[in-house]
Amino acid sequence: MKTKKITIFGVLIALAFILSYIESLIPIPIPVPGIKLGLANLVVITGLYVMGEKEAFVLSLIRILLVSFTFGSPSTLLFSFAGGILSCFCMILMKQIGKFSLTGVSIAGGVAHNIGQVFIAILVVNNILMIYYLPFLLISGLVTGLVIGMVGALIVGSVKKYHLVTGNNN
Amino acid sequence: MGNKMLKRNDMIMMGIVLLIALISLGFFFLNKKEGSAVIITVDGEIYQQTELDQNNTIKIKQDNGDYNEVIIEDGYVWMTDADCPDKLCVKHNKIHYDHETIVCLPHKVVVEIVGGEENTVDIIAK
Ligand SMILES: [Zn+2]
């Protein structure tokens, strides 16, 4: 890996930490502890467009593990993992399809993130009733994804503009 | 950057997600009625079932020492005490309607309100 890439990796992981911390301060009106907004997806979408798919996936894994061990508990790790991995795969897939903008890809990621969390909630408490929170989580995933997508587009735009990375993808 | 932030396909996708959310929300809302029973489950197993209109304090003590306390008063249910690390269950609002739940994830405790007679009959029979 080139030095530039390692630097960007470091910066993105640091950003993921900050976002996860902010996220842990925001209460969500849903009685399932561990469910998060998914702000750290900003880091993954930036990684996906600035570096590539493999890097985005590695970034997701590192951030899930580091952040869960820092701010979370074993139960939050499960949620972050299900949400984060599903979201990452979904964004990679959506980007490959090529019919969506960065913001669109981010929205899909946000929604997938929350669907993953609801399924873990159903499994963990062994109760299908958790499905009742899905509509709220779909909408919150949509809004979070939209905001993250817009911010992400700006970041990716300026990273490319100043040639911080010699991009190998569009 | 250059290109537009949102493409037509993005809009369509957003529309579909919103539609699914609203339809399921509407469906849940239409099914919302005043609840009549409170069921407490621990790890998916029924721990205790009681009437919603009967004031009660229920202590949930598990073999591993996990502890939660639930109060039922005037048709509302809330968690008053728990020794779980996050205490999110204790902070949760009072619940009253059919299908509403309070979850203590670390203890795998779910407090839920059920309204339909068919549900309660089933469980009492057991
Ligand atoms: Zn609790």
Side-chain angles (χ1 to χ4, degrees):
Chain A
M1 218 193 295
K2 278 179 284 183
T3 328
K4 257 183 190 170
K5 263 194 177 174
I6 295 173
T7 312
I8 292 198
F9 239 88
V11 171
L12 288 178
I13 295 277
L15 183 62
F17 255 88
I18 297 167
L19 290 173
S20 302
Y21 177 67
I22 294 172
E23 193 170 66
S24 71
L25 300 178
I26 303 173
I28 307 185
I30 283 170
V32 186
I35 286 191
K36 290 282 148 56
L37 276 178
L39 296 181
N41 254 0
L42 175 61
V43 166
V44 180
I45 189 112
T46 306
L48 179 61
Y49 277 84
V50 168
M51 295 184 289
E53 294 168 1
K54 234 189 304 163
E55 287 84 351
F57 182 69
V58 173
L59 205 54
S60 266
L61 271 183
I62 297 177
R63 95 131 177 103
I64 290 165
L65 291 175
L66 284 181
V67 167
S68 291
F69 286 125
T70 318
F71 304 113
S73 59
S75 60
T76 55
L77 175 66
L78 261 177
F79 284 99
S80 316
F81 201 79
I85 295 299
L86 192 64
S87 159
C88 183
F89 277 134
C90 183
M91 292 197 287
I92 289 174
L93 190 76
M94 293 293 277
K95 185 174 180 253
Q96 276 178 353
I97 291 173
K99 291 195 189 316
F100 300 91
S101 71
L102 185 150
T103 311
V105 170
S106 166
I107 292 168
V111 171
H113 176 259
N114 287 357
I115 291 175
Q117 297 194 97
V118 169
F119 278 107
I120 288 295
I122 291 172
L123 292 179
V124 168
V125 296
N126 218 332
N127 193 322
I128 192 77
L129 272 184
M130 296 296 112
I131 198 89
Y132 277 82
Y133 298 107
L134 193 61
F136 301 101
L137 285 168
L138 284 178
I139 294 171
S140 97
L142 188 91
V143 174
T144 316
L146 183 66
V147 174
I148 283 176
M150 288 173 162
V151 177
L154 290 176
I155 295 180
V156 171
S158 39
V159 167
K160 288 195 170 153
K161 190 172 159 195
Y162 297 107
H163 303 289
L164 293 177
V165 182
T166 36
N168 50 347
N169 41 48
N170 51 331
Chain B
M1 206 163 52
N3 46 1
K4 273 191 294 179
M5 263 194 182
L6 281 172
K7 290 184 185 171
R8 218 184 113 221
N9 287 325
D10 301 336
M11 300 291 197
I12 294 171
M13 180 181 62
M14 285 170 74
I16 292 172
V17 173
L18 265 180
L19 203 66
I20 294 174
L22 290 178
I23 287 174
S24 43
L25 205 62
F27 180 74
F28 296 155
F29 188 75
L30 286 178
N31 282 325
K32 191 169 179 169
K33 45 188 186 277
E34 302 234 330
S36 66
V38 181
I39 298 180
I40 298 170
T41 57
V42 177
D43 198 11
E45 305 262 314
I46 291 179
Y47 181 88
Q48 190 168 345
Q49 165 160 12
T50 175
E51 294 303 309
L52 186 62
D53 54 9
Q54 187 183 318
N55 293 354
N56 203 347
T57 302
I58 300 160
K59 295 184 197 312
I60 306 154
K61 286 178 187 149
Q62 297 183 44
D63 297 337
N64 57 10
D66 289 352
Y67 174 75
N68 295 71
E69 188 180 275
V70 176
I71 283 192
I72 303 169
E73 202 176 289
D74 302 329
Y76 286 83
V77 183
W78 68 100
M79 190 93 71
T80 43
D81 195 19
D83 63 351
C84 58
D86 51 31
K87 297 273 190 289
L88 284 162
C89 52
V90 180
K91 288 177 203 150
H92 191 269
N93 292 341
K94 296 179 179 182
I95 56 173
H96 175 62
Y97 287 104
D98 194 18
H99 293 310
E100 281 191 306
T101 53
I102 298 177
V103 180
C104 179
L105 203 64
H107 292 176
K108 298 190 176 190
V109 170
V110 178
V111 179
E112 77 186 68
I113 293 181
V114 292
E117 272 73 36
E118 66 279 8
N119 277 346
T120 46
V121 169
D122 261 46
I123 291 150
I124 289 166
K126 189 185 153 192

